[in-house]
Amino acid sequence: MRITKSKPQGNGAHSLAALIPTTVAIVSLASLILLAQMGRLATTSYEVQRLEQAKTSWEARNRQLEAEIAALRALDRVEALAKARLGMTPAQKYLFVQLPPEEPEVALEKGASSSPPDSSPWWQQLLRSLAFWQR
Amino acid sequence: MATLTQKDKPKLPFWRFHFVGLLLAGSALALVVRLAQIQVLEHERYRELAKAEHWSRQPILSPRGTISDRRGNALAVAVTTYSVYLDSQFRGDQPKKRSIAQALAPSLEMAPEEIMTTWSRQTAGPILLKKGLPYQTGERLAEAGYGGMQVIAEGQRLYPEGNLAASLLGFIGKDQQGLTGIELDFNQEMRGVPGEIIFEQDSLGQPIPTGFREIKPPIAGGDLVLTIDRFIQRLVERKLDEAVEKHQASGGTIIVMDPNTGEILAMASRPSFDITQLDLKGPPAPDGFRNRAVTDIYEPGSVFKVVTMAAALEEKLITPQTTFYDGGPVVRYGWTIDTWDGAHHGVQTMTELLQKSNNVGAVWVSDLLGPERLYNYVARFGFDQPTNVGLSGEASGQVRTQNDVGWSPIDLSTNSFGQGIGVTPLQMITAFAAVANGGNLMRPYVVKEIVSREGRRVFEPVVVRRVISERAAQQLHQMMNAAAEKGESKLAVVPGYHVAGKTGTASISQRGGYTTKNTIASFIGFVPYEAPRFVILVKLDEPKDSPWGSVVASPIFSAIARELLIYGGVTPSEPALVSPAGGRG
């Protein structure tokens, strides 16, 4: 008895039939993704341009404001305001007040209040407190 | 009915086929040749044309650096403004133009009729309608995009302090490049580098969102911090304007310097120009644009006696107590030299010589020195070369020594009291600063810092050389103090403080001699005498009411010094003006 290997009938046709729609679906999906990405790219690009424009605009506005601040601080303007609004006049007589040099007690108090916390060991601190009569 | 057989069909002549064939082949060949010409031979040209059509470049302005004073107050700032242009070839009809004019009018603060009148001007190119529009207004108009109108962004300089330090700052041109003053001298540092956007555009000139796009960002110009103090500069300019008007002078210069560092705290000259309303075609151009404090030389007159004295003191030829005999005019090489007032005082000390500004005495000292030593000190004080302050157009002075052609021995005598020698106001104050600080010649400077993307560049004080010793400087201080407070320049005194200084009344040279009509009146001094903080030069050209430096320049010095000392928080020397804490004066 001779046994022959029989080929499955119609299997190739089935594979081909399945491959075509799958390919079409993949290509369609890829195209859709590409389109969507292109759309997003275009939107992002517009957004970048808008932001760049906004940045340039704000920088220019910033410079404008700095110029306005400088103009408001101008000596002539400050003087005119001081005279007109506050009724100030140029000083005719000057008096210099000489402050005395800082007194030693005040300096000591300041030094004591601002001295850093004692970081020496506890036994040294104890010994120091016991030796108060030596001061 | 007859029918045509194959044989009966008329035969077309063979040459016709050939003709059509040749015609087609010829056309094909011509097309191929033309294609080869376009695509191969003229490839680059068409590529550039296509590129120009397809690519667009949009410039981005680089903001010019700010100029501020030593305390950071802006003196010149850069802002972006817009200019509006109208298309002279606009094809819209009158009603269309009128509607555009009406839409533009509120933003431009112009009447529609005014816009229409400007638009009707017959010209080939675009018509400038308005410039200097604020940034936001310009942006709004650019977005609106009215037909026949174009808005262009431009850089503009604004001066928050108005016309302050105009001749020192200078100005820039339409191309944003410095033309005079510091704007020119530091143009490289302040101009910045413009950027650009390169992008692909569609047929309407709009950027293609998915196309190529590259941005080269602009590099902002560096900011300049000057040594100038706006308060002192304003004070000096006010006093100078008042003095020029009061004495009907043809001009003048005032400089304030820190003698210990060489920093110029204020520098003003007249005549000047209005930097805020610049008119390049107006009367001052181009004469009025120069900074006379560094470009103009003048004969300093008696203030130069300080240099003569410094040389003699340093050489130990004299002391403040050394005496000479002032018995009358002296004759040197056929020329008679007399005192400024014709008065003669017999035996006089060197201090009294300075107090009375005695020309006869100055000649006596110059005879002691001789040409070699005097001109050596003239050079050491820097009068034979520019100070290298860093400002363009600086003159080097005119000094003729015994080695120069045309020098005559009489020059030694006249030079000793500041005639026959040419110096700039900046050279003169720099020499006085050397005396004030104890003998070191400092290099004057006006720019303290340059702040740019690369970092901060700080300019430090530079000692050029030691000119005289501490001892000689101290002796000279005492003599100059006596000259200012007890001499003929008493109007220079500042209540509560001690000052040191010297007056000058210089004759003005003209062809063949000196004019007798006008003088240059000056005073140079420093305060406080004990520890000099400020050196002040006051110079008025051709005052009409009085020719004397002691009358014209000394009071200006006094007024400026008083304000400066209070502004600088300098405690008065006079105890009467000082009250203890909490006390009342």
Side-chain angles (χ1 to χ4, degrees):
Chain A
M1 190 177 148
R2 208 174 85 184
I3 299 167
T4 55
K5 198 177 176 183
S6 63
K7 285 182 184 173
Q9 289 294 312
N11 251 6
H14 277 138
S15 303
L16 196 65
L19 188 67
I20 290 168
T22 310
T23 312
V24 168
I26 289 169
V27 169
S28 304
L29 195 66
S31 304
L32 269 174
I33 290 168
L34 187 70
L35 269 175
Q37 279 184 336
M38 290 294 277
R40 280 191 69 178
L41 182 67
T43 312
T44 312
S45 182
Y46 276 125
E47 185 63 9
V48 167
Q49 282 177 36
R50 192 188 64 76
L51 288 172
E52 275 165 5
Q53 184 61 35
K55 184 186 167 217
T56 312
S57 182
W58 282 116
E59 280 172 354
R61 180 76 187 125
N62 207 25
R63 284 198 297 278
Q64 191 88 38
L65 286 172
E66 279 170 4
E68 283 172 27
I69 291 168
L72 290 171
R73 289 173 57 187
L75 283 174
D76 282 344
R77 184 181 171 277
V78 172
E79 187 184 16
L81 281 178
K83 282 180 179 171
R85 250 196 230 171
L86 306 173
M88 294 173 86
T89 54
Q92 298 301 321
K93 196 179 172 186
Y94 297 91
L95 177 70
F96 287 81
V97 178
Q98 201 162 33
L99 296 173
E102 207 171 37
E103 290 173 17
E105 287 82 357
V106 177
L108 204 68
E109 273 176 25
K110 272 189 185 172
S113 64
S114 62
S115 61
D118 198 349
S119 58
S120 53
W122 65 270
W123 54 270
Q124 276 187 6
Q125 288 181 32
L126 184 67
L127 279 176
R128 212 175 293 136
S129 63
L130 288 173
F132 66 91
W133 63 86
Q134 288 180 357
R135 286 182 190 173
Chain B
M1 190 177 146
T3 54
L4 283 172
T5 63
Q6 190 69 27
K7 281 185 180 175
D8 298 330
K9 277 184 183 172
K11 282 186 179 174
L12 288 168
F14 186 70
W15 64 269
R16 288 190 185 181
F17 285 107
H18 278 262
F19 177 73
V20 172
L22 274 172
L23 205 64
L24 287 171
S27 302
L29 189 68
L31 276 173
V32 168
V33 169
R34 180 66 180 146
L35 273 173
Q37 184 193 0
I38 290 171
Q39 295 201 349
V40 180
L41 298 176
E42 296 183 22
H43 173 79
E44 278 307 311
R45 181 172 156 250
Y46 282 101
R47 193 179 149 161
E48 287 304 314
L49 280 173
K51 209 172 161 183
E53 190 80 16
H54 193 55
W55 296 89
S56 183
R57 286 168 184 268
Q58 198 177 315
I60 310 172
L61 286 176
S62 61
R64 195 172 171 84
T66 299
I67 305 176
S68 52
D69 81 340
R70 62 187 296 114
R71 294 175 192 271
N73 300 299
L75 301 176
V77 294
V79 293
T80 306
T81 57
Y82 278 93
S83 289
V84 179
Y85 291 87
L86 295 171
D87 181 5
S88 59
Q89 309 298 317
F90 183 58
R91 290 182 183 174
D93 52 9
Q94 279 303 102
K96 176 76 178 165
K97 278 187 172 181
R98 191 168 297 281
S99 72
I100 293 169
Q102 275 168 350
L104 283 175
S107 301
L108 304 182
E109 293 174 354
M110 292 171 82
E113 292 73 31
E114 198 183 342
I115 297 173
M116 287 302 287
T117 312
T118 310
W119 210 341
S120 61
R121 211 181 292 156
Q122 295 297 317
T123 176
I127 306 161
L128 174 65
L129 183 61
K130 189 152 189 173
K131 64 183 296 183
L133 270 188
Y135 185 80
Q136 283 175 317
T137 311
E139 286 279 281
R140 210 169 50 239
L141 287 179
E143 267 178 37
Y146 298 114
M149 176 212 72
Q150 198 182 5
V151 286
I152 293 173
E154 292 169 342
Q156 193 190 349
R157 266 292 196 224
L158 292 181
Y159 303 94
E161 295 290 342
N163 205 30
L164 201 72
S167 54
L168 177 66
L169 297 182
F171 53 85
I172 58 171
K174 283 181 183 171
D175 58 355
Q176 300 294 299
Q177 302 299 311
L179 295 178
T180 65
I182 284 174
E183 295 276 21
L184 169 67
D185 300 326
F186 292 87
N187 187 51
Q188 185 81 17
E189 289 81 358
M190 281 196 291
R191 69 180 176 184
V193 182
E196 65 174 356
I197 306 174
I198 306 163
F199 57 91
E200 283 182 271
Q201 64 179 6
D202 61 17
S203 57
L204 296 171
Q206 296 297 318
I208 299 170
T210 53
F212 176 82
R213 184 181 170 86
E214 189 188 14
I215 299 176
K216 289 182 184 166
I219 299 170
D223 295 332
L224 247 61
V225 181
L226 304 186
T227 58
I228 298 294
D229 185 307
R230 68 169 180 167
F231 177 85
I232 303 175
Q233 182 71 29
R234 181 165 163 273
L235 168 72
V236 156
E237 291 199 13
R238 277 189 176 180
K239 296 292 177 194
L240 184 57
D241 286 333
E242 284 169 17
V244 166
E245 194 183 337
K246 183 182 172 189
H247 301 290
Q248 295 171 311
S250 64
T253 299
I254 298 181
I255 308 174
V256 180
M257 184 192 259
D258 181 338
N260 304 304
T261 60
E263 289 174 304
I264 304 289
L265 303 173
M267 182 183 268
S269 296
R270 296 289 182 270
S272 185
F273 59 96
D274 188 352
I275 202 169
T276 58
Q277 303 286 327
L278 199 60
D279 178 14
L280 294 176
K281 293 170 189 162
D287 191 46
F289 297 139
R290 69 178 190 269
N291 183 358
R292 291 159 197 271
V294 297
T295 59
D296 288 17
I297 58 171
Y298 72 111
E299 293 192 26
S302 292
V303 288
F304 206 77
K305 284 173 185 154
V306 170
V307 176
T308 308
M309 285 298 184
L313 287 168
E314 181 64 18
E315 291 293 320
K316 296 181 180 168
L317 298 172
I318 59 164
T319 67
Q321 290 75 40
T322 303
T323 57
F324 80 103
Y325 185 72
D326 174 20
V330 290
V331 179
R332 289 287 185 281
Y333 314 102
W335 296 85
T336 303
I337 295 169
D338 203 354
T339 52
W340 61 275
D341 56 354
H344 297 277
H345 308 278
V347 177
Q348 294 285 295
T349 64
M350 291 297 108
T351 303
E352 286 169 328
L353 184 161
L354 268 194
Q355 276 178 23
K356 297 188 173 77
S357 194
N358 195 317
N359 292 343
V360 175
V363 173
W364 182 82
V365 177
S366 71
D367 287 343
L368 285 180
L369 280 164
E372 200 167 314
R373 281 191 287 208
L374 179 64
Y375 292 123
N376 177 35
Y377 280 93
V378 167
R380 288 185 66 74
F381 272 105
F383 290 110
D384 63 342
Q385 57 193 333
T387 62
N388 294 320
V389 68
L391 300 173
S392 56
E394 190 188 7
S396 62
Q398 282 181 351
V399 181
R400 199 165 49 186
T401 71
Q402 74 280 14
N403 301 320
D404 294 325
V405 178
W407 182 85
S408 113
I410 187 64
D411 287 337
L412 177 70
S413 305
T414 57
N415 290 170
S416 70
F417 52 86
Q419 297 285 173
I421 188 168
V423 302
T424 65
L426 186 63
Q427 282 178 326
M428 208 60 235
I429 195 172
T430 307
F432 266 67
V435 173
N437 69 27
N440 283 322
L441 187 74
M442 304 301 296
R443 180 181 295 163
Y445 62 108
V446 290
V447 176
K448 204 174 167 66
E449 270 182 49
I450 300 173
V451 185
S452 65
R453 265 165 48 117
E454 286 82 39
R456 276 176 72 200
R457 208 169 120 204
V458 181
F459 293 86
E460 301 285 348
V462 175
V463 179
V464 179
R465 70 182 81 89
R466 176 163 277 282
V467 184
I468 53 171
S469 63
E470 190 83 37
R471 171 197 58 83
Q474 283 305 320
Q475 287 176 328
L476 204 50
H477 283 198
Q478 289 165 19
M479 294 165 77
M480 289 167 72
N481 173 240
E485 293 185 357
K486 298 171 193 161
E488 43 111 19
S489 55
K490 285 198 191 83
L491 292 172
V493 296
V494 181
Y497 297 91
H498 293 299
V499 304
K502 181 73 192 80
T503 54
T505 304
S507 300
I508 301 171
S509 63
Q510 60 178 20
R511 190 179 288 273
Y514 287 91
T515 173
T516 51
K517 288 179 188 169
N518 291 308
T519 60
I520 292 175
S522 65
F523 187 93
I524 314 177
F526 51 84
V527 282
Y529 156 71
E530 298 84 354
R533 289 266 307 271
F534 306 104
V535 189
I536 307 163
L537 173 144
V538 179
K539 166 181 165 280
L540 274 191
D541 305 331
E542 303 175 305
K544 300 293 180 293
D545 54 347
S546 170
W548 309 114
S550 55
V551 177
V552 174
S554 297
I556 305 168
F557 170 88
S558 170
I560 292 171
R562 183 176 181 233
E563 296 275 337
L564 280 183
L565 289 162
I566 292 160
Y567 178 65
V570 180
T571 312
S573 317
E574 300 278 338
L577 288 173
V578 183
S579 170
R584 288 173 186 277

